[in-house]
């Protein structure tokens, strides 16, 4: 499992240099040429007076507010200057805007910048206003219509206002600059034209600094936007794939990245109150979109990240109400798996490339995260994970589980719930032990069959169901007797401690009426019996006058039993009984065994491996007859010989 590293998009400066015709001071030769041309019409044409040029009609009157041509250029006679030829000035003529340079000639096919007298205005910080004058000398303007009109100049596209000023920054579809700090968020604010010294329409990926306006974050934020070939920003209305990758955007046009909900790409989330708490809490509503510099949605694959929290850069979301609420907000990276459409796997044991992995259910504060280690899971009837009672348990936890003393406090739907094996009021049905490996980064797959597990330096042998699928029990720890050789409790093989020779184990068929709090797979209850069993409560007096304690299992010494056969062959239901296992976990058979239980007691085991008699005296001879069930014997040794099937070999 790995997350593919993504190549960082290069942030391009995108400040395009305009190919501006330079307005130069006319050379002496040019002035002489103009002068010669104009003075040739001294009476009825160009006349120079006091260093200024005028045009006179045949009646001798000065011409004003008209264009006059000299050579290849046009000149404007300015009424504001009593008819003098205009120099270095914008000209308004019949609704059109022109510009004459320092020689008075009309500028054509050129960019001209003019100092912006309103540059101190927050809405218009430009030092200069840019204009473009066509081959006819007219400045490009917005033109007729209610939509933004773009002009192609030197391969770039530009827009202008009604006065001919080049637009820049954020522009709406009607051709108006949007200058308020948060205007960029509006759907109608669809174009971005760079800064005042650029103005070209942006397409493709653009990293733009904007004012977010969220009081919980810094004012200025760097967000990624994507603009279509027509210049309009992509928003939540646009499902978009690029180079085989899927991207999403909110209604403001901001590229979604890291954690985001399905609703984030469908509606505005400018206010946290707009977010649906139910959706935020449902892990199925979340998608992951990689880094702020990439943003491609993770689809059908593994990824390891921190769960969403209040520090996520998509700050318009109310993350404190997300599925990450609670102790998931600990900066811990966890493994997640996304299906083909980006939806996260949660609350199930899921097959990925032939291996099964477990994922936290939605009700938990680690929803969607991959399970790891030994886990106690409550399953529903469909084989889905209802509750994670414990995950990645320690050796101490396992020992408590085996001893029936385990308790765990977990958070379910924002409420603390304590699970305890000592609480008989709790529903422990469909609760099982699973193992998902000890190293999440190297594996994490569910284990089946015989498995040796090292926990905190202690080694345990487990058996997990190998057949079927998770709904049918695959992966569950086995409880009960397997192969007439071993006894398992929640999948863990029961063994005697290394300091003891044997361990007494009680196995109970729960269908027989014994109901206890348990995590089992087959309605079987297994427990390790400690010290002297409570069932050893009968006594007799031996020949030495000593009181001897003993007890027996009448189901194993009934005169209907053929001790050469097993219990089922004798028509006996269930597997109730007591068994001895050694330090390797092997069930003992057909022997008398002393146990170091502090009482120097002895167990007599018959051929079907059941303990039939327990006593604190190896010599069972008695002066009195004792009645055992329907059997009368002069000594208990004869009882063992004749009915327990052990013979007299007491080794």
């Amino acid at each position: 499992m790995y997350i593919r590293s993504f190549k960082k998009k290069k942030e391009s400066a995108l400040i395009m240099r305009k190919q501006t015709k330079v307005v130069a001071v006319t050379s002496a030769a040019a002035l002489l040429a103009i002068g010669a041309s104009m003075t040739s019409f001294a009476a009825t044409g160009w006349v120079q007076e006091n260093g200024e040029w005028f045009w006179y009609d045949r009646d001798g009157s000065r011409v004003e507010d008209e264009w006059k041509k000299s050579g290849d250029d046009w000149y404007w006679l300015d009424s504001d200057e009593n008819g003098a030829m205009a120099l270095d000035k914008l000209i308004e003529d019949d609704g059109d805007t022109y510009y004459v340079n320092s020689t008075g000639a009309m500028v054509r096919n050129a960019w001209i910048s003019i100092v912006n007298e309103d540059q101190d205005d927050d809405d218009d910080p430009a030092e200069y206003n840019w204009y473009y004058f066509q081959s006819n000398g007219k400045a490009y303007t917005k033109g007729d219509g209610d939509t933004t009109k773009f002009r192609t100049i030197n391969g770039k596209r530009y827009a202008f206002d009604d006065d001919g000023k080049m637009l820049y920054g954020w522009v709406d579809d009607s051709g108006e600059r949007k200058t308020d700090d948060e205007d960029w968020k509006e759907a109608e604010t669809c174009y971005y034209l760079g800064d005042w010294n650029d103005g070209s329409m942006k397409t493709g990926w653009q990293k733009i600094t904007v004012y977010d306006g969220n009081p919980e974050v810094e004012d200025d934020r760097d967000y990624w936007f994507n603009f279509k070939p027509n210049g309009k920003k992509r928003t939540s209305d646009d499902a978009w794939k690029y180079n085989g990758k899927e991207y999403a955007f909110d209604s403001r046009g901001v590229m979604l990245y890291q954690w985001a909900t399905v609703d984030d790409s469908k509606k505005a989330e400018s206010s946290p109150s707009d977010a649906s708490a139910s959706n935020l809490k449902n892990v199925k509503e979340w998608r992951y979109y990689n880094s702020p510099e990439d943003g491609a949605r993770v689809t059908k694959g593994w990824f390891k990240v921190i769960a969403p929290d209040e520090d996520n850069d998509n700050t318009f979301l109310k993350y404190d109400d997300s599925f990450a609420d609670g102790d998931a907000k600990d900066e811990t990276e966890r493994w997640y798996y996304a299906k083909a459409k980006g939806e996260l796997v949660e609350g199930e044991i899921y097959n990925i490339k032939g291996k099964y992995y477990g994922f936290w259910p939605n009700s938990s504060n680690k929803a969607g995260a991959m399970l790891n280690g030994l886990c106690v899971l409550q399953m529903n009837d469909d084989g889905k994970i209802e509750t994670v009672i414990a995950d990645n348990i320690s050796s101490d936890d396992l020992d408590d589980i085996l001893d029936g003393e385990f308790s765990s406090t977990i958070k379910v739907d924002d409420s603390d719930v304590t699970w305890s094996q000592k609480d008989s009021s709790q529903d422990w049905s469909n609760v099982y032990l699973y193992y998902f490996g000890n190293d999440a980064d190297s594996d994490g797959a569910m284990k089946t069959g015989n498995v040796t597990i090292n926990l905190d330096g202690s080694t345990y042998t487990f058996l997990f169901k190998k057949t079927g699928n998770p709904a049918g029990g695959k992966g569950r720890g086995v409880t009960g007797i397997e192969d007439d050789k071993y006894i398992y409790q929640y999948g863990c093989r029961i063994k005697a401690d290394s300091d003891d020779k044997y361990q007494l184990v009680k196995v109970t068929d729960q269908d027989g009426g014994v109901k206890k709090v348990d995590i089992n797979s087959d309605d079987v209850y297994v427990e390790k019996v400690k010290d002297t069993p409570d069932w050893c409560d009968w006594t007799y007096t031996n020949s030495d006058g000593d009181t001897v304690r003993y007890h027996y299992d009448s189901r194993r010494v009934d005169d209907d039993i053929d001790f050469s056969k097993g219990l089922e062959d004798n028509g006996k239901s269930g597997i109730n009984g007591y068994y001895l296992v050694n330090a390797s976990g092997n069930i003992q058979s057909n022997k008398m065994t002393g146990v170091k239980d502090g009482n120097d007691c002895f167990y007599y085991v018959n051929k079907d491996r059941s303990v039939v008699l327990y006593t604190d005296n190896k010599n069972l001879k008695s002066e009195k007859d004792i009645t055992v069930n329907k059997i009368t014997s002069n000594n208990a040794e004869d009882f063992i010989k004749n009915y327990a099937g052990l013979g007299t070999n007491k080794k």
Side-chain angles (χ1 to χ4, degrees):
M1 300 177 289
Y2 62 92
I3 304 178
R4 183 177 297 172
S5 62
F6 298 91
K7 186 177 182 181
K8 183 179 181 181
K9 295 182 179 70
K10 294 183 178 179
E11 178 182 354
S12 60
L14 295 181
I15 302 210
M16 310 306 297
R17 302 186 181 277
K18 300 184 178 59
Q19 299 180 10
T20 307
K21 289 188 176 181
V22 178
V23 181
V25 178
T26 306
S27 66
L31 288 173
L32 288 173
I34 295 174
S37 175
M38 292 181 176
T39 55
S40 65
F41 300 97
T44 58
W46 290 105
V47 176
Q48 188 178 36
E49 298 175 357
N50 299 322
E52 296 181 312
W53 289 96
F54 300 87
W55 180 278
Y56 286 89
D57 283 337
R58 292 184 183 275
D59 62 1
S61 60
R62 288 180 179 178
V63 174
E64 295 181 357
D65 292 337
E66 288 186 22
W67 291 101
K68 294 297 180 181
K69 192 174 184 180
S70 177
D72 293 331
D73 294 317
W74 290 89
Y75 299 85
W76 178 256
L77 287 308
D78 196 351
S79 62
D80 292 338
E81 302 294 334
N82 296 317
M85 182 184 70
L87 301 174
D88 198 14
K89 184 177 181 180
L90 286 172
I91 306 299
E92 300 293 333
D93 180 25
D94 195 24
D96 296 315
T97 301
Y98 303 81
Y99 185 77
V100 293
N101 61 22
S102 59
T103 68
M106 177 193 294
V107 174
R108 292 174 290 179
N109 297 320
W111 285 101
I112 294 296
S113 62
I114 298 177
V115 174
N116 179 19
E117 296 178 355
D118 298 322
Q119 63 180 283
D120 294 331
D121 190 340
D122 291 338
D123 292 341
D124 190 13
E127 294 182 33
Y128 298 90
N129 291 318
W130 284 92
Y131 300 78
Y132 188 84
F133 299 94
Q134 308 170 63
S135 60
N136 61 6
K138 295 179 181 181
Y140 276 131
T141 62
K142 177 183 177 182
D144 298 331
D146 297 326
T147 59
T148 306
K149 187 175 183 178
F150 286 94
R151 316 283 186 169
T152 300
I153 304 171
N154 299 323
K156 303 292 184 181
R157 302 182 73 191
Y158 301 86
F160 302 85
D161 66 12
D162 291 328
D163 298 325
K165 298 176 183 177
M166 179 194 73
L167 299 176
Y168 66 94
W170 290 99
V171 176
D172 66 16
D173 201 27
S174 65
E176 298 292 330
R177 286 188 62 234
K178 308 298 290 186
T179 58
D180 289 345
D181 285 338
E182 299 188 51
D183 277 348
W184 65 272
K185 299 178 179 180
E186 304 300 326
E188 58 269 20
T189 305
C190 51
Y191 301 102
Y192 185 69
L193 308 183
D195 63 21
W196 65 267
N197 202 33
D198 175 9
S200 62
M201 183 184 77
K202 301 300 180 284
T203 60
W205 288 108
Q206 303 293 328
K207 188 177 185 180
I208 304 173
T209 301
V210 296
Y211 178 85
D212 189 272
N214 190 326
E216 297 181 359
V217 300
E218 298 178 0
D219 290 342
D220 293 333
R221 307 285 295 179
D222 289 333
Y223 289 134
W224 280 99
F225 299 81
N226 188 277
F227 298 89
K228 304 175 186 178
N230 64 4
K232 290 189 175 182
K233 68 180 180 182
R234 299 185 189 275
T235 64
S236 55
D237 296 328
D238 306 299
W240 189 57
K241 284 188 176 182
Y242 179 69
N243 288 339
K245 298 179 179 180
E246 296 186 24
Y247 297 84
F249 306 85
D250 68 14
S251 63
R252 311 172 304 169
V254 175
M255 177 193 75
L256 299 179
Y257 56 89
Q258 297 182 358
W259 289 107
T261 69
V262 173
D263 280 347
D264 297 337
S265 62
K266 296 180 180 179
K267 66 182 182 179
E269 299 289 359
S270 59
S271 171
S273 61
D274 293 336
S276 169
S278 61
N279 284 343
L280 290 172
K281 286 184 172 297
N282 191 342
V283 66
K284 294 181 179 179
E285 296 293 324
W286 288 79
R287 303 291 184 267
Y288 191 76
Y289 290 90
N290 286 313
S291 70
E293 299 297 322
D294 185 301
R297 189 176 74 188
V298 173
T299 58
K300 199 172 183 179
W302 290 101
F303 59 100
K304 188 179 185 183
V305 297
I306 299 171
D309 59 29
E310 64 270 18
D311 295 327
N312 191 293
D313 287 334
N314 288 344
T315 52
F316 51 90
L317 291 178
K318 196 175 180 180
Y319 285 105
D320 56 345
D321 282 339
S322 75
F323 71 87
D325 191 23
D327 65 4
K329 296 180 179 180
D330 56 7
E331 301 299 312
T332 299
E333 289 188 329
R334 296 183 174 87
W335 283 104
Y336 299 85
Y337 189 85
K339 299 181 182 178
K341 295 184 178 180
E343 66 271 31
L344 299 180
V345 180
E346 61 87 21
E348 63 179 305
I349 298 175
Y350 189 70
N351 189 336
I352 302 174
K353 297 182 178 180
K355 294 183 178 182
Y356 288 93
Y357 299 84
F359 297 88
W360 283 76
N362 187 67
S363 59
S364 70
N365 52 22
K366 299 177 184 175
M370 185 190 75
L371 290 166
N372 181 233
L374 278 171
C375 301
V376 182
L377 308 180
Q378 184 182 44
M379 312 296 289
N380 62 24
D381 294 337
D382 296 326
K384 301 296 181 68
I385 301 174
E386 190 77 22
T387 306
V388 178
I389 298 174
D391 72 311
N392 202 22
I393 62 175
S394 65
S395 60
D396 289 340
D397 290 332
L398 178 60
D399 291 340
D400 286 343
I401 291 173
L402 297 176
D403 292 335
E405 299 176 351
F406 177 74
S407 66
S408 174
T409 300
I410 61 175
K411 189 173 290 294
V412 179
D413 293 330
D414 293 335
S415 299
D416 288 336
V417 177
T418 299
W419 289 78
S420 175
Q421 287 178 282
K422 296 181 179 181
D423 188 354
S424 58
S425 66
Q426 290 181 316
D427 181 14
W428 283 78
S429 60
N430 296 324
V431 178
Y432 313 100
L433 197 69
Y434 293 82
Y435 181 55
F436 297 98
N438 275 342
D439 187 353
D441 286 328
S442 65
D443 189 356
M446 183 182 74
K447 305 300 185 288
T448 61
N450 291 290
V451 181
T452 299
I453 301 175
N454 187 286
L455 295 178
D456 307 320
S458 299
T459 300
Y460 301 85
T461 302
F462 281 83
L463 176 62
F464 300 98
K465 189 175 178 180
K466 296 185 292 185
T467 59
N469 55 41
K474 185 173 184 175
R476 299 174 183 175
V478 174
T479 294
I481 301 174
E482 290 291 320
D483 301 325
D484 292 328
K485 189 175 181 180
Y486 302 109
I487 300 176
Y488 294 91
Q489 185 180 19
Y490 326 133
C492 185
R493 184 184 298 177
I494 302 299
K495 303 177 182 179
D497 293 337
S498 57
D499 294 337
D500 297 324
K501 192 174 182 180
Y502 300 101
Q503 170 68 58
L504 180 66
V505 182
K506 184 179 181 181
V507 181
T508 305
D509 182 356
Q510 298 234 43
D511 288 338
V514 179
K515 300 293 183 182
K516 295 190 177 183
V517 176
D518 193 13
I519 49 175
N520 59 69
S521 58
D522 295 306
D523 289 326
V524 175
Y525 181 75
V526 173
E527 67 175 326
K528 295 188 293 184
V529 180
K530 300 178 180 179
D531 302 321
T532 303
D534 294 336
W535 53 277
C536 301
D537 55 359
W538 294 0
T539 62
Y540 77 99
T541 302
N542 65 11
S543 57
D544 297 326
D546 298 324
T547 299
V548 177
R549 296 184 300 158
Y550 75 98
H551 201 59
Y552 68 94
D553 187 343
S554 62
R555 299 183 67 225
R556 269 55 180 182
V557 300
D558 193 301
D559 51 4
D560 292 332
I561 292 180
D562 181 351
F563 291 104
S564 66
K565 300 178 179 180
L567 283 178
E568 294 185 2
D569 293 335
N570 280 279
K572 300 298 181 179
S573 62
I575 55 173
N576 297 340
Y578 294 87
Y579 301 86
L580 282 179
V581 297
N582 61 19
S584 299
N586 291 284
I587 302 175
Q588 303 301 290
S589 173
N590 193 32
K591 64 192 305 182
M592 183 194 73
T593 306
V595 179
K596 296 180 180 179
D597 60 3
N599 296 297
D600 294 327
C601 296
F602 299 88
Y603 296 91
Y604 292 81
V605 183
N606 67 8
K607 291 180 179 180
D608 74 354
R609 302 178 184 271
S610 300
V611 175
V612 295
L613 186 69
Y614 171 89
T615 179
D616 63 354
N617 194 319
K618 187 175 182 178
N619 185 359
L620 296 178
K621 292 182 179 180
S622 173
E623 294 180 345
K624 298 181 178 181
D625 291 342
I626 59 173
T627 301
V628 181
N629 223 14
K630 300 176 181 180
I631 302 167
T632 300
S633 175
N634 288 327
N635 77 52
E637 209 165 311
D638 289 342
F639 160 72
I640 294 175
K641 179 179 178 180
N642 296 324
Y643 300 101
L646 295 178
T648 58
N649 183 19
K650 305 182 184 64
K651 74 175 184 178

